Amino acid sequence: MTETLDATVATGAKALLNTTTTVTVRPRYEGSNICTWIGFKHVNYLVEEAVLDHFRSAGLSSRSLYEEFGLGLDIVDLDTRILHAFHLDDTAEAKVTPDTKDGADTLGFRVTLTIERDGAPVKAVASKVRVSLRPDGYLQSAEQPPTELAPYVVQRLGAHLAGTTAETTAHGVAVESADTTALGEGRGTHGPTDPVLAELIGDTNAFGWKWRIPYPYCHFTERLQMSGYLRQMEEVVDLFLADRGISIRTLLDDRRWIPVVPHSRIQILEEALMEEDLYTVYTVEDVFKDLTYTSRMDCYVVRDGVLVQTATGRITHGYAVIENRRDWSLVNFDDHVVRALKGEAAPAAAG
C-alpha cells in the first residue's frame, strides 16, 4: 500500500472503533405492505444502512474495502428490537456506536433509530450488529489485509465462532443427497416428502422449506448475505402460517389481524452459496400465554453428502387488529390461532 493509503486505513480504523456517527434514514416504499406500516425486514434494512454509512463516514466504505483490499463487508449477527412501529415516510436519526471489545474478532456496533411521535423523539429501534471482513474468493486474491483490519478478517463466514456452541452446531450428520430444486418451482418445495426436510423436522412442531438460492439474495458474486436471510425469515413465516391454515390473508379477511414483530435475530454460522439448495426449518418454540410466540429459523445446505448449518435465527410475533388506516392495537390470540401455532388439531365437534 502507498503511504497515503496506509494513513487512510489507520485513520479509518480508528474512527470505526471509536467514533459515533449519525445519519438520517427513511424506510423504502417496498416495506409498506399493509396500510402504511413498515415490516421488520425493512426496519432491519435501516439498521444495515446505518452501519454501512458508519463505514463510509470513516473513509472505509464497503465499495473501497472490496475494490482496494478485496474485502467483503458481511453482517454476520443482527439482533434487533422494535420498540415503536415505523410508518411510511417516517424519518429516523440512526446513531451508530462502536462496540468492539479488545481482542474481538468481529467489528461490533450498537444502533438506535429515533423517530418523532407527538412532537417528541422516541427510541424506535435498538439493535446489536457484528461485522466480518471476508477476502474475495472469486477473483484474483488481493494482498494481505491492512494490519488495522486484519483482526476482523475471516476466510469463511462463521469462522469467528470457532470453538463456541454455535460453531459446533454448524456441522450436521451425513445425509443422502436429494435432487436439486427444479427451475420454475417458484417458492420451492416444503413438507416431509423431501428426505432432507423429513430428517430435519422429525417429530417437532416445525415447518420445512427447500429453496434454490437466487443471485439477487447474494453479494460479492457468490454468497447469501444477511439481507437475504431476512427475506428468508419473512418468507418462511408466510409459508408456515399458510400451512397451518392461518395465512396472512386469511386473518386479514376474517379479523383484520396482522402479525407484528418486536424482536428478531439472525446469526450466520457458515456460508451459503448462490444456486445451492437452502433447507430452512421454522420451529415454534414457545407460545407465551395468548400474547406472543417465539420461533427459531435454522438454515442448511447439503455439501458432499453432509448437512451443514449456515444460519440460525429467532423471531417473536404477536398480532394486532387494524382499527383504521392509521392505527392498530395488540390483541390476544384465540384458541384457533394457539392450536394452529402449536400444531394441535381442533377439538372434535360435539354430537
Side-chain angles (χ1 to χ4, degrees):
M1 293 188 294
T2 66
E3 290 184 7
T4 301
L5 193 54
D6 284 341
T8 298
V9 173
T11 302
K14 184 177 180 180
L16 281 179
L17 294 170
N18 298 287
T19 302
T20 296
T21 59
T22 59
V23 64
T24 299
V25 292
R26 175 177 288 172
R28 297 297 302 271
Y29 193 46
E30 179 195 328
S32 179
N33 306 124
I34 298 172
C35 297
T36 62
W37 303 300
I38 302 298
F40 87 99
K41 178 184 69 179
H42 276 261
V43 172
N44 276 294
Y45 285 179
L46 298 181
V47 173
E48 179 185 63
E49 179 53 39
V51 171
L52 293 175
D53 187 78
H54 183 78
F55 277 81
R56 200 178 296 125
S57 297
L60 295 172
S61 70
S62 56
R63 174 181 175 179
S64 65
L65 284 171
Y66 181 78
E67 292 183 353
E68 297 290 344
F69 311 115
L71 296 175
L73 189 163
D74 276 277
I75 294 176
V76 293
D77 195 334
L78 181 58
D79 187 346
T80 299
R81 295 188 181 277
I82 301 174
L83 311 174
H84 290 274
F86 265 83
H87 286 252
L88 187 65
D89 290 334
D90 270 338
T91 56
E93 181 185 77
K95 179 179 178 181
V96 181
T97 303
D99 186 29
T100 304
K101 304 293 188 296
D102 291 342
D105 49 11
T106 55
L107 290 154
F109 307 96
R110 292 184 179 270
V111 181
T112 58
L113 303 182
T114 301
I115 57 177
E116 184 178 298
R117 288 290 181 265
D118 299 322
V122 296
K123 184 164 72 172
V125 173
S127 187
K128 294 182 287 186
V129 184
R130 306 211 70 81
V131 170
S132 287
L133 303 177
R134 160 73 154 83
D136 179 48
Y138 193 80
L139 300 175
Q140 183 176 357
S141 298
E143 298 177 359
Q144 291 296 315
T147 302
E148 295 84 356
L149 302 177
Y152 317 110
V153 174
V154 293
Q155 296 305 308
R156 291 188 67 81
L157 299 186
H160 67 288
L161 297 171
T164 67
T165 301
E167 190 273 339
T168 60
T169 64
H171 302 283
V173 297
V175 296
E176 293 184 11
S177 179
D179 294 335
T180 57
T181 302
L183 294 176
E185 286 188 359
R187 300 180 81 178
T189 59
H190 58 84
T193 55
D194 182 276
V196 177
L197 291 178
E199 178 175 332
L200 288 169
I201 294 171
D203 58 358
T204 63
N205 181 24
F207 171 85
W209 174 35
K210 173 188 173 185
W211 170 83
R212 176 180 178 272
I213 300 172
Y215 87 90
Y217 284 58
C218 301
H219 67 177
F220 299 116
T221 320
E222 57 183 355
R223 59 186 177 274
L224 184 61
Q225 60 179 301
M226 178 59 77
S227 65
Y229 279 114
L230 286 168
R231 295 162 78 176
Q232 190 76 357
M233 179 175 274
E234 181 181 60
E235 184 95 352
V236 76
V237 171
D238 180 69
L239 291 170
F240 163 78
L241 294 174
D243 185 70
R244 294 296 174 92
I246 53 171
S247 74
I248 304 293
R249 178 66 181 268
T250 297
L251 293 192
L252 274 171
D253 288 351
D254 289 352
R255 314 168 189 202
R256 293 198 300 185
W257 282 17
I258 57 171
V260 292
V261 177
H263 180 223
S264 66
R265 184 183 185 186
I266 297 175
Q267 296 171 278
I268 293 179
L269 308 177
E270 242 285 1
E271 296 183 358
L273 305 179
M274 186 186 302
E275 297 185 7
E276 283 190 305
D277 283 332
L278 192 71
Y279 296 85
T280 300
V281 177
Y282 183 78
T283 307
V284 175
E285 293 190 314
D286 182 49
V287 179
F288 181 72
K289 297 183 178 179
D290 56 355
L291 298 172
T292 60
Y293 71 98
T294 56
S295 304
R296 190 180 75 249
M297 180 186 79
D298 295 298
C299 298
Y300 305 82
V301 296
V302 175
R303 294 195 186 119
D304 300 324
V306 176
L307 196 63
V308 178
Q309 187 172 2
T310 64
T312 188
R314 281 180 169 80
I315 188 167
T316 302
H317 277 94
Y319 275 101
V321 62
I322 299 174
E323 296 177 346
N324 53 55
R325 288 191 292 271
R326 292 185 178 88
D327 303 308
W328 54 259
S329 59
L330 294 174
V331 294
N332 292 20
F333 304 157
D334 61 16
D335 183 67
H336 173 66
V337 169
V338 170
R339 286 182 175 276
L341 295 174
K342 291 183 175 180
E344 299 174 352

